[in-house]
Amino acid sequence: MAHFRLSDAPIDAVALQSGLRDPRAGACASFEGWVRDHNDGRAVDGLRYEAYVSLAEAEGAAILAEALERFDIVQATCVHRVGELAIGDLAVWVGASAAHRGPAFEACRWIIDEVKARVPIWKHERYAGGDAGWLHPGP
């Protein structure tokens, strides 16, 4: 089973990881992406994520379905925030469970890379000094 969703509320990583538990799984790998205080040598004060919701949800679901086919995993989940975020906030969470750690790690890395490349989510960073800029896509 795979789940992708956008959230305008804080991400509960513990609950998401718990949702990946399965008797067939002996491993879980996860990735957390946090809002950092800098980008390309500039101080960042905060950011806002915006998404084309229906397309983002459809493409995110397609990525997770592909991950289930490509990797020997049991389950996968990805939640990406939208809206205003502060420095240190959890912006995206990806998790994959599998019988063994290798496929869980590989799937988790592949999912976040594909989400960043394919899902229509845009980041509007606010910089120290008052200016701002849009970013997408990017690793």
Side-chain angles (χ1 to χ4, degrees):
M1 184 181 297
H3 301 285
F4 177 90
R5 70 182 169 88
L6 300 173
S7 177
D8 60 2
I11 296 170
D12 184 346
V14 173
L16 291 169
Q17 184 181 29
S18 179
L20 293 175
R21 290 192 179 276
D22 186 287
R24 299 169 291 167
C28 176
S30 64
F31 168 80
E32 294 184 359
W34 306 318
V35 178
R36 64 184 179 274
D37 68 356
H38 66 282
N39 186 34
D40 285 336
R42 299 182 75 184
V44 174
D45 288 336
L47 58 81
R48 180 178 74 248
Y49 281 107
E50 294 185 10
Y52 183 153
V53 175
S54 59
L55 184 55
E57 290 173 343
E59 190 63 23
I63 289 166
L64 293 178
E66 289 173 38
L68 287 170
E69 292 178 16
R70 290 174 73 107
F71 303 95
D72 189 16
I73 59 175
V74 176
Q75 295 189 63
T77 299
C78 179
V79 177
H80 201 297
R81 287 288 307 274
V82 291
E84 295 290 332
L85 280 79
I87 304 304
D89 282 351
L90 181 55
V92 61
W93 190 90
V94 178
S97 61
H100 303 285
R101 68 183 176 271
F105 279 122
E106 293 167 4
C108 194
R109 172 71 183 254
W110 184 85
I111 291 166
I112 189 59
D113 288 348
E114 292 298 305
V115 165
K116 290 297 180 184
R118 295 168 42 187
V119 177
I121 298 172
W122 300 275
K123 179 170 35 174
H124 187 252
E125 287 186 333
R126 292 183 310 278
Y127 305 109
D131 58 333
W134 288 98
L135 296 101
H136 180 82

